[in-house]
Amino acid sequence: MRLKRRDFLAATAALAAFPGNTLAAKAPAFHKDFLWGASTSAYQIEGALDADGRGPSVWDTFTAQGHIQDGSTAAQACQHYTRYREDVALMKAAHFNAYRFSIAWPRVQPQGTGPANAKGLDFYDRLVDELLRAGIRPLACLYHWDMPQALQDQGGWQSRAMTGPFADYARAVAARLGDRVKDWMMLNEPNVVAIFGHGLREHAPGLGLGEMGVLRALHHQNLAQGAALRAIRAEHGDCRLGTVTSVQPCRPETSSDADRAAAIRWDAVWNRVAVDGLLRGAVPDVLAERMAPIIQPGDLAAIRFPIDLLGLNYYSPNTMRHAPGQMFEVGWGRAPTDRFTAMGWPVQPDGLYEVLMEFKNLYGNPATFVAENGAAYDDALSADGQVHDPERIRYLADHIAEVRRALADGANVTGYLAWSLLDNFEWAFGLSKRFGLVRVDYDSQKRIPKDSYRWFADFIQKARQS
Ligand code: IFM
C-alpha cells in the first residue's frame, strides 16, 4: 500500500486541534533512542495457516471446536504472511523505529520438536530484512500463545516437559535470525495464557482446570523461559534478552478487609508469579503454600535470569472484590470511571504510571518498555472513506502522557509500542474487535489508516526530531 502524501498531510492538519497535540509539543522528554512503534502477533495477523509446512496450533483446534464468538477464523486474518511488505511500509510511513512481532512455533517446528522447518523460518528472515531496510528495529517474541498442538497433546504448559522443547525452539530461531535480530522476548503474557486457557476455558487450550491449572501453567512457562533465555545467551552474547508480561494494578473495590485481600491475591496471580520468578527467583507469599507441590528443588534458580529488557503490556487496572466460589475467590467490581473501550475495559491511564513506577521503586528500575497499549472501539468507515477514531487518539495520548510522567519521575522506560498496527484476530472475539491503528477490510484486505495512525505518526515524528 502506498500512502498518498497529500492525503496524509491533509488528515494530519485536520487533527491539529486535537488535545493530544499539546502532548506532542512536550515530546522532548523522550530521548532520541526511545523505541516507538507497534506490536502484533503471528496468529493474529499472518493468515496462511497451511503454508510452507506449518503445523496445527492450539488456537487452530480451539477455533475448530467453535469457541470463537463471531464464528470467524484466523485463516486469512490480515494476510500478513504475503502482505508484510505493505505493512512494513505503513510502519515506515508512521516513523516507527521499532516493531515487535511474534514467531509462530508451529511454523518453525510443525510438531513442536525436531529439526527446524527452513521454509517457516524463511518468512521471518524476509520480514526481518524488510524491517531493517526500513530502519525499524525488530523485536522478536518467541511465544505469543500458539503452542504446537502436538505438544499440547503431551500436556502443554501443564507439563514440566515443555522446558526442553521450548529451549530447543529458541535456539533454532536465534541461530537463523540472531545475526540481525538483537532483541529477543521469550513469552507474551504468560499470565493470560495460564488464567484464560488453563484455569478457565476462554482461550486455547480451554482446559478449565481452576487454580492449580493456572499455577502449574505459570510455573512451567517460567521454567521454559529460563531455559530459553540461557540457550540464547549461550550462543548470542550481543543481544538483549527479555520477556513480555501483562501488568494490571489490582485495586480493591472497597476498603473492606475481604476486598483488600482479594486484590492482593489477584495481584499475586496476575502480576507477581511471572515477574517475581524472573527478577527475584521468588514466589509471592500468598501463593507459596499452593505452589509448593509444583515447585521442585532448583526451580527458582532456573527461573531467575538477569534480563536486559522487560516488556510491559498495559490496558487497564483491575477493581477487585471478594467472590467466594470463584477461582482464587476473586471477582471484578465496578471501576471508578465512565470511560470504557469496546472490550468493556475501563480507561484509567494513571494505572500505567503506577506500574512503571512500581518497577522503578520495587524492582530496582530495570529497563522496561511498554510492549502493548491500545484500545478496541467500534470504528466505522465514514462516508469519506476514512476512519475517524477520536476515542483511540485520546486513549493513546492519555497513556503516552503517563509514560512521560513516569520518565520525568525517573522510571527507566525505553519505548512505547501501540497495540496494534492492524485490526486483527482478537482471539475468542474473532475479527469483531478492532484494535488497529490501521483498519483492515477483511474481504478486500485493503488497509485504511485511521485518524489515530496519522496522529501517532505525527507524534512520533515530532518526538524523534526533538
Ligand atoms: O490481542 C491481545 C494480544 O494478543 C495480547 N494482549 C492483549 C491484546 C488485546 O486483547
Side-chain angles (χ1 to χ4, degrees):
M1 198 218 63
R2 294 184 70 89
L3 262 188
K4 286 197 197 112
R5 186 162 167 72
R6 186 170 30 92
D7 297 346
F8 183 84
L9 292 176
T12 303
L15 290 171
F18 190 80
N21 286 344
T22 54
L23 190 65
K26 294 179 182 166
F30 297 103
H31 58 77
K32 278 224 155 342
D33 299 331
F34 199 81
L35 301 178
W36 291 106
S39 287
T40 63
S41 91
Y43 198 74
Q44 292 178 273
I45 64 168
E46 286 177 359
L49 300 181
D50 296 325
D52 297 330
R54 176 189 177 276
S57 81
V58 290
W59 274 95
D60 299 298
T61 309
F62 193 70
T63 301
Q65 288 167 345
H67 296 301
I68 307 305
Q69 289 179 20
D70 65 355
S72 62
T73 76
Q76 299 298 321
C78 309
Q79 294 183 356
H80 176 73
Y81 197 76
T82 47
R83 296 173 184 266
Y84 68 93
R85 284 196 188 87
E86 188 179 341
D87 296 335
V88 173
L90 280 163
M91 298 179 214
K92 186 175 180 188
H95 311 289
F96 287 11
N97 60 0
Y99 171 58
R100 182 180 69 116
F101 60 98
S102 81
I103 291 172
W105 191 349
R107 288 199 192 284
V108 178
Q109 290 173 298
Q111 301 304 312
T113 55
N117 168 30
K119 283 192 165 179
L121 278 168
D122 285 350
F123 167 66
Y124 300 104
D125 208 76
R126 294 191 292 273
L127 173 63
V128 165
D129 286 346
E130 191 72 14
L131 287 164
L132 293 173
R133 265 195 295 275
I136 297 168
R137 182 177 185 133
L139 281 74
C141 181
L142 291 175
Y143 181 75
H144 198 126
W145 306 2
D146 43 359
M147 161 79 67
Q149 183 60 43
L151 288 179
Q152 186 58 44
D153 296 341
Q154 295 167 37
W157 295 123
Q158 287 303 304
S159 164
R160 294 174 66 88
M162 295 303 108
T163 300
F166 189 64
D168 290 345
Y169 157 64
R171 209 175 279 112
V173 177
R176 179 71 182 272
L177 303 176
D179 58 333
R180 286 151 293 148
V181 174
K182 298 298 172 192
D183 296 274
W184 291 97
M185 301 295 119
M186 303 299 106
L187 305 175
N188 184 75
E189 300 181 351
N191 43 359
V192 174
V193 171
I195 293 163
F196 293 103
H198 291 251
L200 306 170
R201 295 181 200 278
E202 294 177 23
H203 282 185
L207 302 183
L209 297 173
E211 294 181 9
M212 289 311 286
V214 172
L215 298 177
R216 263 194 304 271
L218 269 167
H219 186 63
H220 297 154
Q221 287 180 90
N222 278 350
L223 280 172
Q225 172 173 272
L229 285 163
R230 286 170 176 82
I232 301 183
R233 178 53 84 225
E235 286 162 33
H236 304 271
D238 62 339
C239 60
R240 297 197 301 177
L241 297 181
T243 199
V244 178
T245 190
S246 166
V247 281
Q248 297 195 309
C250 295
R251 300 167 174 171
E253 186 179 32
T254 71
S255 59
S256 74
D257 287 349
D259 284 356
R260 284 219 289 256
I264 290 170
R265 265 195 315 281
W266 194 245
D267 176 62
V269 176
W270 188 279
N271 295 312
R272 307 288 151 214
V273 178
V275 168
D276 286 7
L278 178 64
L279 301 184
R280 294 175 167 163
V283 288
D285 287 348
V286 285
L287 297 175
E289 206 174 302
R290 273 178 263 214
M291 292 188 71
I294 306 171
I295 300 174
Q296 296 186 6
D299 279 3
L300 296 182
I303 287 170
R304 188 176 193 179
F305 190 86
I307 53 164
D308 307 298
L309 192 59
L310 179 63
L312 302 174
N313 294 352
Y314 174 82
Y315 291 89
S316 57
N318 283 309
T319 302
M320 306 311 302
R321 62 160 65 133
H322 179 53
Q326 307 271 22
M327 201 167 68
F328 296 103
E329 299 209 330
V330 298
W332 277 256
R334 198 175 154 70
T337 177
D338 53 10
R339 281 173 76 185
F340 292 88
T341 70
M343 300 295 282
W345 299 346
V347 181
Q348 296 175 272
D350 64 322
L352 180 53
Y353 174 82
E354 186 177 326
V355 298
L356 295 174
M357 293 309 288
E358 188 180 273
F359 279 91
K360 170 178 182 269
N361 296 325
L362 301 183
Y363 291 95
N365 215 9
T368 62
F369 69 109
V370 178
E372 289 184 22
N373 177 240
Y377 286 108
D378 294 325
D379 301 325
L381 199 55
S382 296
D384 61 2
Q386 301 292 313
V387 178
H388 304 298
D389 57 343
E391 287 176 300
R392 186 173 289 103
I393 295 175
R394 191 172 160 214
Y395 183 101
L396 296 173
D398 288 351
H399 285 81
I400 293 171
E402 295 296 330
V403 175
R404 190 173 176 277
R405 188 157 74 97
L407 273 171
D409 289 344
N412 189 7
V413 195
T414 64
Y416 175 91
L417 307 185
W419 184 269
S420 184
L421 177 69
L422 305 167
D423 290 341
N424 60 52
F425 182 76
E426 178 54 24
W427 307 112
F429 292 94
L431 299 171
S432 64
K433 300 290 181 199
R434 294 180 177 271
F435 274 90
L437 298 166
V438 176
R439 181 182 176 88
V440 177
D441 177 321
Y442 293 113
D443 293 331
S444 67
Q445 286 292 327
K446 190 169 172 222
R447 273 70 168 142
I448 303 160
K450 303 177 190 178
D451 281 358
S452 57
Y453 168 91
R454 284 183 272 270
W455 178 84
F456 195 42
D458 184 51
F459 182 88
I460 296 173
Q461 187 178 34
K462 290 194 172 98
R464 291 185 63 193
Q465 275 169 358
S466 58

